[in-house]
């Protein structure tokens, strides 16, 4: 199945910001484009904005003069549905309301040909539901562009229950030919990005609600240790607390109020109080001319220990042994027991595993990092039973490695670790249910929300049992189903075992 030919017309319904962006993408790909709106002035204004953007691209040298003039001549505005009759593809980008969108597509079906592809840019509504009642539901699908559409590469190509695979493939090849990166997705609440991303916000809010740490500290840890571009508190302030909470609530309701997607009460209170983020002047953080952003809590300077013992295999944190030696601290190792770092005062430094420090004698937990060598921040978790000496040695050790250190409450799974484990689990479950491939989910999360790694790539790096074990421990301490590992994640461990055994057998046969 090939892409729609450049000689064919593409129509965009809805002349708002999203519609203008999609129209610009199709226009610069070489199509004749009609921008439709029920209000003729809005349609004309939207087309004029697109033309102005093309002019500015030419002025900046990002587009040739002849190419710009050609594009400007290929965009039209209309308030008459009949003008869209010749379109090969119509993409709807109007208000997120089922009744409004259905009315749009019912009107379109009266004028376009039966082989015209009809697509919705919805980010939260069911593609299957929107197609209900159409005469030709097989040619209907979702094309979810991300805002701003001309800049962001990701497009979720969503197949509803009745979508013809050939229609989905033609749409996929079309947006791919436009220079976008499409990913295939079944019609599921939140599609890929808005479904898989929920723990990034939810776990941060949960740590805050559990009095584990303040927003600025949580954001700093996820940025500087987890490698995420923005922390969830700052990001939801940018998105709008009302918008972000509405998506979370929609996914939660669509999954029959599954505990995996339970919204945050703290965020609900923000919305109720009108603290919606940057647009209202206050969200998790204050904004405006005189606003002072709160600083993350960091530990004061401490002396690093002169020596440590690495007990067992530190797994994802194994590189710490090298870093400690490079920092001039003597390291001895023993393969038996652990895994933990034995400190001189007999306390233990343990990678977050879903358990709490209070369960053990003199333990400091440390959080997961994307790259311990590059990370500029680390979080430590202690209980009231952790001795002052052990905490001081742990803080001093990481400070010696060049890290800022935040000491948070005794929160199982800490911050980065529990977030990544939940992302891995939701991804495994989505793949098992046929929502999308692991590769497409990783692509979507990297390009759609700028994650440093896709969840499956995290899983491969951390090991087959890491996320399952952490969530199992979390589920024991926070029962109710939110942290219960999925059956899919459980099976992945066994599948990986089988692959490893097969590879080992093959190697043995090869060496005969």
């Amino acid at each position: 199945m090939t892409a729609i030919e450049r000689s064919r017309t593409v129509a965009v319904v809805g002349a708002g910001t999203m519609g203008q962006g999609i129209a610009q993408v199709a226009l610069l790909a070489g199509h004749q484009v009609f921008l439709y709106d029920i209000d003729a002035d809005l349609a004309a204004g939207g087309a004029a904005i697109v033309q102005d953007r093309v002019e500015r691209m030419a002025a900046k040298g990002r587009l040739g003069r002849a190419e710009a003039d050609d594009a400007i001549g290929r965009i039209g505005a209309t308030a008459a549905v009949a003008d869209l009759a010749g379109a090969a593809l119509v993409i709807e980008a109007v208000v997120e309301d089922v009744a409004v969108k259905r009315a749009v597509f019912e009107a379109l079906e009266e004028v376009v040909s039966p082989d015209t592809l009809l697509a919705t840019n919805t980010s939260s509504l069911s593609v299957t539901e929107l197609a209900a009642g159409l005469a030709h539901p097989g040619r209907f699908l979702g094309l979810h562009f991300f805002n701003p559409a001309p800049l962001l590469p990701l497009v979720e190509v969503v197949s509803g229950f009745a979508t013809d695979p050939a229609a989905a493939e033609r749409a996929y090849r079309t947006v791919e030919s436009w220079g976008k990166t499409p990913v295939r997705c079944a019609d599921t609440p939140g599609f890929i990005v808005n479904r898989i991303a929920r723990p990034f916000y939810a776990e941060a809010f949960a740590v805050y609600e559990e009095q584990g740490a303040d927003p600025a500290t949580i954001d700093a840890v996820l940025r500087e240790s987890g490698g995420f571009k923005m922390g969830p508190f700052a990001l939801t302030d940018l998105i709008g607390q009302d918008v972000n909470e509405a998506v979370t609530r929609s996914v939660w309701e669509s999954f029959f109020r599954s505990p995996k997607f339970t919204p945050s009460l703290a965020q609900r209170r923000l919305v109720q109080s009108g603290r919606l983020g940057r647009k209202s002047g206050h969200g998790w953080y204050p904004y405006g001319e005189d606003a002072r952003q709160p600083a993350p809590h960091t530990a004061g300077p401490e002396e690093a220990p002169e020596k440590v013992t690495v007990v067992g295999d530190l797994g994802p944190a194994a590189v710490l042994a090298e870093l400690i030696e490079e920092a001039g601290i003597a390291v001895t190792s023993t393969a038996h027991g652990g895994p933990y770092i034995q400190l001189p005062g007999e306390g233990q430094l343990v990678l977050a595993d879903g358990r709490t420090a209070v369960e053990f004698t003199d333990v400091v937990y440390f959080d997961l990092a994307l790259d311990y060598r590059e990370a500029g921040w680390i979080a430590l978790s202690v209980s009231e039973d952790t001795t002052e000496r052990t905490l001081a040695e742990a803080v001093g050790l990481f400070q010696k490695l060049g890290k800022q250190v935040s000491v948070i409450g005794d929160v199982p799974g800490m911050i980065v670790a529990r977030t990544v484990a939940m992302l891995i689990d939701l991804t495994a479950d989505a793949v098992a249910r046929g929502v999308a491939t692991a590769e497409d989910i990783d692509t979507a999360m990297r390009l759609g929300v700028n994650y440093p790694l896709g969840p499956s790539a995290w899983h491969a790096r951390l090991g087959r049992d890491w996320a399952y074990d952490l969530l199992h421990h979390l589920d024991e301490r926070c029962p109710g189903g939110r942290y219960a590992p999925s059956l899919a994640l459980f099976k992945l461990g066994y599948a990986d075992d089988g692959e490893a055994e097969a590879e080992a057998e093959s190697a043995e046969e090869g060496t005969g």
Side-chain angles (χ1 to χ4, degrees):
M1 183 62 65
T2 59
I4 292 171
E5 299 82 1
R6 292 293 194 272
S7 59
R8 302 292 304 277
T9 298
V10 172
V12 179
V13 176
T17 301
M18 203 69 221
Q20 294 164 18
I22 296 170
Q24 180 179 332
V25 171
L27 184 69
L28 293 180
H31 294 276
Q32 173 81 28
V33 174
F34 273 114
L35 187 57
Y36 167 90
D37 199 283
I38 194 170
D39 184 318
D41 290 339
L42 288 178
I49 289 172
V50 174
Q51 290 174 330
D52 182 61
R53 289 177 185 166
V54 173
E55 283 283 5
R56 281 185 280 137
M57 290 175 70
K60 293 177 181 178
R62 293 164 52 197
L63 201 63
R65 185 68 257 173
E67 188 180 357
D69 290 340
D70 179 59
I72 288 169
R74 283 187 280 101
I75 186 168
T78 183
V81 176
D83 288 342
L84 311 184
L89 167 64
V90 183
I91 304 173
E92 164 273 315
V94 302
V95 64
E96 288 286 274
D97 182 284
V98 171
V100 173
K101 289 179 186 289
R102 276 185 168 177
V104 166
F105 288 111
E106 286 170 7
L108 286 168
E109 276 209 316
E110 293 181 5
V111 300
V112 300
S113 64
D115 64 345
T116 297
L117 292 182
L118 298 181
T120 174
N121 184 58
T122 184
S123 61
S124 60
L125 301 177
S126 167
V127 171
T128 300
E129 183 179 6
L130 292 176
L134 293 181
H136 303 283
R139 46 91 174 270
F140 185 84
L141 70 151
L143 286 179
H144 180 213
F145 289 76
F146 287 72
N147 193 28
L151 298 180
L152 295 185
L154 184 69
V155 179
E156 292 177 324
V157 181
V158 186
S159 293
F161 186 77
T163 302
D164 187 328
E169 184 66 15
R170 187 160 172 78
Y172 181 99
R173 295 301 172 192
T174 298
V175 295
E176 184 180 49
S177 74
W178 293 355
K180 295 300 182 182
T181 303
V183 291
R184 298 177 177 87
C185 176
D187 183 23
T188 184
F191 307 143
I192 296 176
V193 172
N194 281 330
R195 172 177 177 159
I196 302 299
R198 293 351 291 164
F200 179 68
Y201 312 108
E203 294 314 310
F205 298 161
V207 171
Y208 169 75
E209 290 173 339
E210 293 163 20
Q211 301 292 296
D214 62 283
T217 301
I218 296 169
D219 274 0
V221 171
L222 281 162
R223 280 196 324 268
E224 308 301 330
S225 184
F228 295 93
K229 297 300 182 185
M230 289 184 75
F233 293 92
L235 182 55
T236 53
D237 269 356
L238 180 63
I239 295 168
Q241 298 303 329
D242 52 340
V243 174
N244 181 261
E245 201 243 5
V247 173
T248 297
R249 191 165 291 275
S250 172
V251 172
W252 178 57
E253 294 283 2
S254 297
F255 278 107
F256 309 103
R257 301 195 170 189
S258 165
K260 294 280 187 182
F261 302 100
T262 301
S264 162
L265 179 59
Q267 188 181 38
R268 176 96 288 256
R269 292 291 180 257
L270 271 188
V271 174
Q272 290 173 333
S273 69
R275 293 189 168 191
L276 306 182
R278 289 179 179 268
K279 62 186 177 184
S280 70
H282 206 301
W284 296 109
Y285 303 116
Y287 299 93
E289 248 181 66
D290 301 322
R292 298 181 64 181
Q293 296 297 314
H297 287 290
T298 55
E302 298 286 357
E303 288 291 325
E306 294 182 359
K307 61 181 181 179
V308 299
T309 300
V310 174
V311 181
D313 181 0
L314 296 180
V319 72
L320 284 177
E322 294 177 23
L323 299 181
I324 294 169
E325 280 192 312
E326 290 168 10
I329 299 171
V331 177
T332 57
S333 301
T334 175
H336 303 293
Y340 56 83
I341 297 172
Q342 183 77 54
L343 298 168
E346 298 305 316
Q348 297 174 357
L349 195 53
V350 184
L351 175 61
D353 60 6
R355 292 180 285 195
T356 56
V358 76
E359 300 171 48
F360 307 97
T361 302
D362 212 13
V363 158
V364 175
Y365 273 108
F366 65 95
D367 209 350
L368 180 69
L370 173 68
D371 182 336
Y372 284 101
R373 185 175 291 278
E374 298 298 325
W377 214 286
I378 200 74
L380 303 180
S381 176
V382 298
S383 76
E384 58 272 20
D385 295 330
T386 305
T387 66
E388 290 183 9
R389 177 176 177 179
T390 292
L391 176 57
E393 289 175 344
V395 170
L397 175 64
F398 280 105
Q399 288 176 340
K400 184 72 172 178
L401 302 185
K403 320 297 183 190
Q404 293 270 26
V405 178
S406 291
V407 180
I408 70 171
D410 193 10
V411 178
M414 301 191 68
I415 299 171
V416 180
R418 71 196 277 178
T419 299
V420 170
M422 286 292 283
L423 291 171
I424 290 170
D425 186 57
L426 288 193
T427 296
D429 184 64
V431 172
R433 295 177 185 275
V435 172
T437 65
E439 293 76 17
D440 274 357
I441 292 176
D442 274 10
T443 298
M445 302 315 290
R446 286 189 296 101
L447 300 183
V449 278
N450 224 355
Y451 284 6
L453 282 179
S456 292
W458 269 110
H459 187 223
R461 174 183 289 196
L462 295 169
R464 66 178 185 271
D465 296 327
W466 181 87
Y468 180 87
D469 289 344
L470 187 142
L471 291 176
H472 177 67
H473 289 148
L474 255 172
D475 184 47
E476 289 181 331
R477 286 146 188 82
C478 306
R482 180 185 181 113
Y483 300 109
S486 66
L487 177 60
L489 188 60
F490 176 78
K491 287 180 175 179
L492 274 180
Y494 282 95
D496 288 348
D497 273 341
E499 290 172 8
E501 288 172 8
E503 288 174 4
E505 289 174 5
S506 176
E508 286 176 7
E509 290 172 4
T511 56

